[in-house]
Amino acid sequence: MANPYASTGSVATVTANVAGDGINDLRNPSGRPGRAANIKPMSATEVTRRLFVYVRPYRLALVVTFIASVLSIALQLYAPILIGEGIDLLVGAGKVDFESLLPLLVRLAVVVAGAAAFQLVQGFCVNRLSYKTIRDLRVAAHAKLSRVPLSLIDRHAHGDLIARVTNDVDQVGDGLLQGMTQLFTGAVTIVGTIMFMMATSVPMALVVIVVTPLSVFAAAAIARLSTGSFSAQMSIQGQLTGYIEEYVGNQKLVDAFAYGARAREGFAAINRELYAAGERAQFLSSLSNPGTRLVNNIMYGLVAVVGCVAVITGAPAVLTVGQVQVFLSYTGQYTKPFNEISGVVSQIQGAYASARRVFSLLDADEIEPDAPDARELGEGAAPRGEVEFRNVDFSYTKDKALLQDICIHAKPGMRMALVGPTGCGKTTLINLLLRFYDVDTGEILVDGRSIRDYTRASLRRSFGMVLQESWLFEGTVHDNIAYGCPDATRDQVVEAAKKAHVDTFIRTLPNGYDTVLPEDGGTLSQGQRQLLCIARVMLADPAILLLDEATSSIDTRTELQVQAAFDELMEGRTSFVVAHRLSTIREADCILVLKDGHIVERGTHAELLQQNGFYAELYNSQFSSNE
């Protein structure tokens, strides 16, 4: 079976796709569902500018970091001068000027201690600035996920989106921390050493400056080569996260279908791509450090040779042995930033690749905001529960129509049942009613007003929904039932559980209602999980009920009990029931029969059987053997 996450080309192809034009980014989720999204091209300058938007609130720490860096580097650069002066006081055996040397050593000790103190302040401020910046970036990325359309979540691998909020943001933080530390100290060191060298000897300073561009050009050329590889590496890492998340979350099915070997093959295929991309990125970036070190060592040797010639001949400048030592120290300090920056270039480039992934998420289109004059549904009076679909058309993809010319009018208190073959659009009607998606044409009204006239929050609060796929979170049984009503009392929670016929089961748990359930219910059966979800909606006591195969995982005896509870709950409330078990909807006020995106029949159970049409065919196929 083909792996939906694995790339279909080589690492070079992945690199080209990531760095090239015409890619599919999160703003235009037209890629294959489940596949990790490619990344919007973004220059390093733009990435830096956008990162500093998050740095700006902590500019005081940035200023203190800069000042501490300047003072620390200035003291570090002053130390070689003192050392050079001390060397010149050591004329020879028995010819040491201790009277001048001892105060100089005291000054040197103070300078070294001061440099260390300012370096400590710089490190503290950089750490504080970096982690607060990344905290804000992670909060922004997480908040963005709550504002993007559901279609984006549906179309992209969940693991890849999770990786952007977790792994990628952490990678940005590590790169920002390293980059801030190295760039601040590096820039100040380079400028400071040039100034000190120029003050000591202009000809010797020019020897160092002339050779510098070779180091810069070497590092820049290697960085350009490795940038695309780092982008490919982070993209494939997102695919791998999505693949793992998918199979860990569905391990039972993987084992049940003996898919383990093929799953490992799929993992190995993506892992090989990640290894190849990572190896290429690390190899190219690792060339930077030895390349700059080679140039810098040539520079150091050249300064030593020219300095010795200057001491002996006085050309190109008159220097003492101590001053030559000062220049050698400055040369080492001058070249150190190039070595350090090139040493962390892979981490910084990885951070920029991750930042592009995070900003692609932050740039994704958001759901259409509520209208400025949107009102609260139920404001001033409880919702009546009247629901109307007027000539609604909708499709998930533009090239494939789904719902066409849907007209439904549910009066307050009506029980509407939706039946039809799989894929005919029953659940989609529920999604449209809750505005998880918006209609292409037509209009949906609640209590006589378009649902676009209401705020989404108030609209959804007026609905109670039980899905075929139950969802529980890590927390107590009480908290799971009270998810929609966090202020509910224990008595109210227990009463809802009794109505859902789950109270007896809950009391058999180790701590009853205070039992902590693992994510997704852990070892609870699917039926037990669904009963807890039913108790949740019963506690919410909504104006309109949406039941999408709500009893599909419950045994027949319990289903009869829960159905009785639902009958009581639906009394006086508008309800939409999606069902495959047609026996559960016999008492519905109106049954809507969908086929190929159209409502082909509507009426009561008896009326539809009398018509002897598509509904009768569905019903007889289920019950003919029993009647």
Side-chain angles (χ1 to χ4, degrees):
M1 178 178 178
N3 173 15
Y5 288 90
S7 300
T8 56
S10 63
V11 172
T13 303
V14 176
T15 303
N17 289 337
V18 171
D21 297 327
I23 62 173
N24 298 321
D25 58 41
L26 285 174
R27 297 176 305 159
N28 180 28
S30 58
R32 184 171 55 184
R35 188 180 176 90
N38 291 327
I39 310 305
K40 171 190 175 185
M42 194 178 300
S43 67
T45 303
E46 185 178 358
V47 172
T48 303
R49 179 187 61 79
R50 296 189 62 171
L51 280 175
F52 269 90
V53 171
Y54 292 90
V55 173
R56 190 176 298 123
Y58 311 107
R59 52 185 173 273
L60 178 60
L62 190 64
V63 171
V64 173
T65 299
F66 181 75
I67 294 174
S69 178
V70 170
L71 294 175
S72 174
I73 298 302
L75 292 175
Q76 291 179 41
L77 294 177
Y78 183 51
I81 293 178
L82 298 178
I83 294 173
E85 291 177 1
I87 290 174
D88 287 337
L89 294 175
L90 306 176
V91 179
K95 298 180 181 180
V96 179
D97 187 355
F98 286 104
E99 185 177 348
S100 301
L101 184 60
L102 291 177
L104 189 146
L105 292 176
V106 172
R107 288 164 56 196
L108 180 61
V110 172
V111 167
V112 171
F118 285 118
Q119 197 168 22
L120 182 64
V121 172
Q122 176 199 355
F124 173 79
C125 290
V126 167
N127 276 277
R128 188 176 181 84
L129 180 143
S130 297
Y131 288 116
K132 284 193 171 184
T133 299
I134 295 311
R135 177 199 62 188
D136 293 348
L137 185 60
R138 181 178 288 109
V139 169
H142 180 266
K144 180 70 176 188
L145 288 177
S146 66
R147 300 194 303 270
V148 298
L150 189 62
S151 58
L152 184 143
I153 305 295
D154 288 341
R155 288 175 182 270
H156 293 92
H158 294 176
D160 181 68
L161 296 176
I162 292 171
R164 295 176 192 241
V165 182
T166 54
N167 299 347
D168 287 320
V169 173
D170 285 340
Q171 184 81 3
V172 173
D174 292 341
L176 183 63
L177 181 62
Q178 292 288 343
M180 291 287 290
T181 302
Q182 302 301 340
L183 292 177
F184 264 89
T185 58
V188 175
T189 299
I190 292 170
V191 173
T193 50
I194 290 176
M195 293 174 60
F196 274 87
M197 285 190 294
M198 294 291 286
T200 303
S201 173
V202 173
M204 290 294 292
L206 291 176
V207 172
V208 176
I209 294 172
V210 167
V211 184
T212 299
L214 296 177
S215 179
V216 176
F217 291 153
I222 295 170
R224 281 195 298 271
L225 287 174
S226 57
T227 297
S229 295
F230 276 103
S231 297
Q233 180 184 6
M234 300 313 299
S235 178
I236 298 172
Q237 188 170 350
Q239 296 176 27
L240 187 66
T241 304
Y243 190 86
I244 294 172
E245 189 269 342
E246 179 180 89
Y247 280 96
V248 169
N250 297 278
Q251 189 61 45
K252 291 180 181 178
L253 287 176
V254 173
D255 291 343
F257 285 92
Y259 196 85
R262 286 178 289 173
R264 288 189 293 272
E265 289 174 4
F267 173 84
I270 305 176
N271 204 30
R272 283 193 297 270
E273 289 187 16
L274 181 59
Y275 172 81
E279 183 181 44
R280 177 183 172 86
Q282 294 298 328
F283 173 76
L284 290 174
S285 64
S286 66
L287 295 177
S288 179
N289 190 264
T292 54
R293 283 186 180 275
L294 175 62
V295 176
N296 294 338
N297 288 335
I298 293 173
M299 185 189 306
Y300 190 88
L302 186 62
V303 169
V305 171
V306 174
C308 291
V309 172
V311 171
I312 296 172
T313 66
V318 178
L319 297 176
T320 66
V321 174
Q323 288 174 323
V324 173
Q325 174 60 36
V326 171
F327 255 96
L328 289 174
S329 296
Y330 282 156
T331 302
Q333 288 180 297
Y334 177 77
T335 58
K336 184 180 178 182
F338 295 103
N339 294 333
E340 289 178 343
I341 293 174
S342 62
V344 297
V345 68
S346 61
Q347 195 167 17
I348 295 175
Q349 287 185 310
Y352 270 76
S354 292
R356 291 183 180 94
R357 286 168 50 80
V358 175
F359 288 137
S360 290
L361 171 61
L362 294 177
D363 290 341
D365 290 335
E366 298 186 2
I367 57 176
E368 181 184 345
D370 293 330
D373 57 346
R375 58 183 296 177
E376 296 285 316
L377 178 57
E379 184 178 13
R384 301 194 315 275
E386 182 180 8
V387 177
E388 185 176 0
F389 285 70
R390 291 182 180 174
N391 307 110
V392 168
D393 290 348
F394 174 77
S395 62
Y396 291 106
T397 56
K398 301 302 180 184
D399 58 341
K400 184 178 180 181
L402 180 56
L403 297 177
Q404 301 176 58
D405 196 27
I406 300 297
C407 294
I408 303 172
H409 188 191
K411 297 179 180 179
M414 282 189 66
R415 300 185 187 184
M416 306 290 293
L418 305 174
V419 301
T422 300
C424 66
K426 302 184 297 296
T427 300
T428 300
L429 286 174
I430 303 297
N431 290 338
L432 294 177
L433 194 54
L434 288 166
R435 285 200 73 188
F436 291 152
Y437 293 85
D438 283 325
V439 301
D440 295 334
T441 60
E443 193 174 24
I444 302 176
L445 298 89
V446 172
D447 288 353
R449 297 180 66 96
S450 171
I451 58 175
R452 292 177 180 270
D453 294 338
Y454 300 114
T455 62
R456 282 186 176 85
S458 66
L459 176 71
R460 292 167 183 171
R461 280 196 302 267
S462 301
F463 291 89
M465 182 170 63
V466 181
L467 300 175
Q468 183 177 4
E469 297 180 3
S470 57
W471 176 77
L472 300 175
F473 59 89
E474 184 175 354
T476 65
V477 173
H478 173 99
D479 292 341
N480 269 279
I481 294 176
Y483 183 73
C485 305
D487 298 327
T489 65
R490 176 57 61 88
D491 290 341
Q492 290 172 324
V493 170
V494 171
E495 182 62 26
K498 288 180 178 178
K499 289 181 179 179
H501 298 274
V502 74
D503 174 70
T504 302
F505 158 71
I506 293 174
R507 295 187 185 279
T508 64
L509 296 175
N511 297 308
Y513 284 85
D514 294 319
T515 301
V516 177
L517 300 177
E519 181 184 358
D520 232 9
T523 58
L524 296 184
S525 71
Q526 184 63 32
Q528 290 166 340
R529 298 177 197 179
Q530 204 163 38
L531 286 172
L532 291 176
C533 293
I534 292 171
R536 179 188 295 164
V537 76
M538 286 185 168
L539 177 64
D541 195 21
I544 304 172
L545 287 175
L546 305 174
L547 309 178
D548 190 351
E549 294 292 342
T551 60
S552 62
S553 299
I554 302 174
D555 63 88
T556 304
R557 179 175 176 274
T558 304
E559 181 183 16
L560 294 175
Q561 295 173 329
V562 173
Q563 194 63 49
F566 272 143
D567 289 341
E568 180 181 346
L569 184 63
M570 287 188 289
E571 190 66 35
R573 290 180 173 84
T574 307
S575 57
F576 288 82
V577 182
V578 176
H580 284 123
R581 296 183 187 177
L582 302 187
S583 59
T584 62
I585 57 170
R586 290 178 177 177
E587 304 303 321
D589 297 316
C590 181
I591 299 173
L592 303 174
V593 185
L594 282 83
K595 183 179 180 182
D596 299 329
H598 295 272
I599 297 177
V600 294
E601 296 176 3
R602 67 179 74 206
T604 64
H605 173 71
E607 292 171 347
L608 292 175
L609 285 182
Q610 189 175 6
Q611 292 178 17
N612 198 28
F614 187 59
Y615 176 82
E617 181 182 339
L618 291 175
Y619 184 84
N620 291 331
S621 67
Q622 290 188 19
F623 300 103
S624 58
S625 61
N626 298 326
E627 293 181 348

